[in-house]
Amino acid sequence: MKRLAPLLATAGLIASTVPLLTAAQASAAPAPAYLNQKPSWHRCSPDQPASYECATLKVPLDYRRPQGSTIDLAISRVKSENPAKRHGVMLLNPGGPGGGGLDLPLAMGEMMSKDVRDQYDLIGFDPRGVGASSPISCGLTDTEQNFDRPYRPETYSSDVTWARTVADKCREKAGAVLPHITTRNTARDMDTIRAVLGERKLSYLGYSYGTYLGAVYSQMFPDRTDRFVLDSGVDPQRIWRGMIQVWATEAEPAFARWTGWAAERSAEYGLGDTPKAVSDTFWGLVERADREPIDFEGQKVDGDLIRSARGVFFYPAQATPLIAALKAAAEGAPRPAGPSTADLKRLLTGGRAAAEPASDNGTAVFWAVVCGDTGSWPRYTEQYERDAAKDKVKYPLYGDFASNIKPCAFWDRPVEAATPMKKQANVLTVQNEWDSQTPLTSGEGMHRALKGSRMVLVAGGEGHGVYLTDPTSCADAQVSAYLTTGRLPAEDVTCQSPAAAAGQRESAAPSKQLPIPAGPGRF
């Protein structure tokens, strides 16, 4: 039976990746060459531990044509140091789309409890098209990479030109590869990794976009889905325009929560002693900056830039000194004591101001996946204009940014339909209540979509990413218990964040421990 298991697993992979074959034909077909390769493990870098190993696999560009063109798939591992307790392999993904994961086995292995760490070989990988895995590029400038574009009638034609230009440049630069940089193909790559490592099943820890990737794998390969933790969930019913628009709808309750927090501390920050007064102060700043940009720490800040910082309002203790400093700058008053100049600029720009001129690899993969996963994007520019104008009124903080036109309006039609979520998926979903990138309603949508899943919700929890991102998180024990035993909680679990449990409504700065994409335009 032990010898038969790998053959059965191989037959299943063929059936899932080559839909032109019947099940009977697939079971009799020889294994494709890519499944017979053996990773050539080597030390990743002389300045990294010898236990951190890397290898490169060859996988089909198009799994419908397994004998055709191949691309590189860079993988890494740190093996369990306790073979007697080893359960299997755990694949890791940080989100994105476009985030690399080669370094995750090192970063996350150091933070996992020993009970969890002993059970797994931790496997990292750069998803197809990313980093060391045959990276793609669209040749985009820094300006073209920024899609935080507010809607204004007088500039809408230039927004359309930008969206069309991005799509055209991507098609010209990476047109042969682009249609195959999708979540479904990355899930197939994950199963190839499982197969070449000789494992019957795959365990998995994915954050943000990685939750959707894990959910798709669970539907495509349910019999090979082992212990899956999906942290900070993407709602499969919202991919992908709806997931961008949820940034606008859920920024509004976060903003309302912030006005209450700031009002309670009016003596310290001077933004108003009621939520309405704080809101009036904020919108007064936006209007003033629209008329004449505020000189803030050497940067000209207009109202659109202030509104684009919608994610900071999920962290009231961070948003309040930022707005107080902006108010002081607008009034020509000394900046109040508090966070450093660099910290305030980072909060305002989401880190963009401090970033070096970047390769467009992550952006190219983002659009390839977001546009190529689903054919639900509107094809008429007029619909984007109507939606953006409407949502600017309905969700004034970020609605027009979210609904404005995107390159997907001009993208080629996807080669496959989106993955239906119909199969049982006994996985664990984890969610903070106040998450700016995958808000609570999105995480709840993923939980509903995956039949058999359980959710651990951190009430009052702030931040994007839960497990291992905060050493005090009440969710870590639940996740560790599942990863060590394979047993889901009997029912959904809600626990209180330490700050909420203590009656506090503030947090430390957003955690930067894990390499989870944290920019305002990523999942």
Side-chain angles (χ1 to χ4, degrees):
M1 191 64 184
K2 288 184 178 179
R3 292 185 178 181
L4 183 60
L7 297 177
L8 294 174
T10 295
L13 179 65
I14 296 170
S16 294
T17 58
V18 191
L20 299 179
L21 296 178
T22 66
Q25 290 170 328
S27 64
Y34 68 88
L35 288 178
N36 292 325
Q37 62 189 311
K38 300 295 181 186
S40 179
W41 294 108
H42 58 274
R43 188 171 184 168
C44 292
S45 171
D47 60 351
Q48 299 283 10
S51 60
Y52 176 47
E53 300 177 298
C54 288
T56 301
L57 305 177
K58 295 288 185 182
V59 297
L61 172 63
D62 183 351
Y63 276 91
R64 298 170 301 175
R65 298 171 178 81
Q67 308 302 330
S69 300
T70 63
I71 57 175
D72 289 345
L73 189 67
I75 63 175
S76 63
R77 75 175 177 187
V78 176
K79 298 175 71 174
S80 166
E81 295 181 355
N82 193 335
K85 291 187 176 181
R86 182 185 181 277
H87 172 75
V89 299
M90 183 193 295
L91 200 63
L92 309 169
N93 182 273
L102 275 182
D103 56 348
L104 287 182
L106 271 183
M108 301 183 73
E110 294 174 353
M111 287 179 266
M112 287 178 172
S113 69
K114 188 176 187 306
D115 285 346
V116 174
R117 185 65 196 85
D118 282 348
Q119 292 209 20
Y120 299 97
D121 294 349
L122 300 182
I123 308 297
F125 74 116
D126 279 351
R128 58 172 47 210
V130 177
S133 293
S134 296
I136 63 170
S137 168
C138 296
L140 303 177
T141 65
D142 288 351
T143 299
E144 288 168 341
Q145 292 191 59
N146 178 26
F147 70 84
D148 261 340
R149 306 180 75 87
Y151 169 72
R152 294 179 181 275
E154 65 271 21
T155 59
Y156 183 66
S157 62
S158 66
D159 296 336
V160 173
T161 298
W162 161 79
R164 190 189 302 273
T165 297
V166 170
D168 288 346
K169 290 178 79 168
C170 287
R171 192 177 296 113
E172 178 183 359
K173 190 89 170 177
V177 177
L178 219 56
H180 308 292
I181 307 296
T182 63
T183 299
R184 284 180 64 85
N185 277 332
T186 301
R188 294 179 176 116
D189 292 341
M190 288 168 55
D191 205 56
T192 297
I193 294 171
R194 175 205 60 78
V196 301
L197 293 180
E199 300 289 333
R200 282 195 319 110
K201 290 190 173 186
L202 190 69
S203 292
Y204 177 79
L205 171 59
Y207 294 86
S208 197
Y209 163 71
T211 65
Y212 181 64
L213 175 59
V216 168
Y217 183 94
S218 78
Q219 301 301 297
M220 293 178 69
F221 306 101
D223 294 339
R224 270 102 78 182
T225 298
D226 196 2
R227 303 172 186 177
F228 269 45
V229 175
L230 308 181
D231 189 318
S232 307
V234 165
D235 185 347
Q237 300 304 313
R238 296 176 187 260
I239 64 158
W240 280 106
R241 191 180 187 219
M243 278 303 304
I244 294 174
Q245 289 174 317
V246 85
W247 291 340
T249 61
E250 302 314 298
E252 296 300 319
F255 180 84
R257 173 177 176 253
W258 166 70
T259 62
W261 193 97
E264 291 172 0
R265 295 156 178 80
S266 60
E268 181 178 357
Y269 293 105
L271 298 178
D273 57 5
T274 67
K276 183 181 185 305
V278 173
S279 180
D280 289 346
T281 297
F282 173 82
W283 289 110
L285 277 172
V286 170
E287 292 171 7
R288 180 170 182 166
D290 276 338
R291 293 193 305 270
E292 182 180 353
I294 300 169
D295 187 350
F296 179 67
E297 313 291 2
Q299 180 174 353
K300 294 295 184 182
V301 175
D302 62 16
D304 290 332
L305 180 57
I306 297 173
R307 291 192 300 120
S308 75
R310 52 100 200 159
V312 76
F313 295 102
F314 287 79
Y315 305 94
Q318 311 304 312
T320 311
L322 170 64
I323 302 305
L326 276 171
K327 179 174 179 288
E331 296 170 348
R335 182 171 72 79
S340 70
T341 296
D343 284 342
L344 289 171
K345 290 181 72 172
R346 176 182 60 79
L347 291 169
L348 180 64
T349 63
R352 289 191 299 271
E356 298 177 359
S359 159
D360 75 333
N361 175 229
T363 302
V365 173
F366 179 86
W367 290 125
V369 171
V370 166
C371 301
D373 270 359
T374 172
S376 63
W377 286 89
R379 312 300 287 189
Y380 302 102
T381 61
E382 295 83 2
Q383 181 170 342
Y384 292 95
E385 184 169 26
R386 287 195 301 269
D387 290 349
K390 176 190 68 177
D391 288 348
K392 187 167 189 170
V393 176
K394 193 172 184 180
Y395 310 111
L397 193 61
Y398 196 75
D400 54 322
F401 289 90
S403 291
N404 204 355
I405 195 164
K406 305 293 185 288
C408 303
F410 304 105
W411 216 259
D412 292 342
R413 292 289 185 180
V415 297
E416 291 186 272
T419 306
M421 300 286 152
K422 296 181 178 179
K423 297 175 182 175
Q424 188 83 1
N426 299 327
V427 305
L428 187 66
T429 67
V430 192
Q431 185 73 35
N432 273 330
E433 182 179 6
W434 296 101
D435 182 331
S436 62
Q437 303 308 108
T438 52
L440 176 58
T441 187
S442 170
E444 290 172 334
M446 167 155 280
H447 177 36
R448 284 193 304 271
L450 295 177
K451 301 174 181 65
S453 67
R454 292 286 185 269
M455 172 179 269
V456 177
L457 170 63
V458 183
E462 295 176 358
H464 185 46
V466 182
Y467 181 56
L468 303 180
T469 66
D470 177 358
T472 69
S473 175
C474 60
D476 279 17
Q478 294 285 344
V479 176
S480 294
Y482 169 65
L483 290 175
T484 52
T485 67
R487 292 191 296 271
L488 288 169
E491 56 187 17
D492 292 345
V493 175
T494 298
C495 63
Q496 291 285 318
S497 73
Q504 303 168 9
R505 292 182 61 193
E506 60 185 87
S507 70
S511 172
K512 297 294 180 183
Q513 288 179 293
L514 291 179
I516 300 172
R522 290 292 186 269
F523 303 103

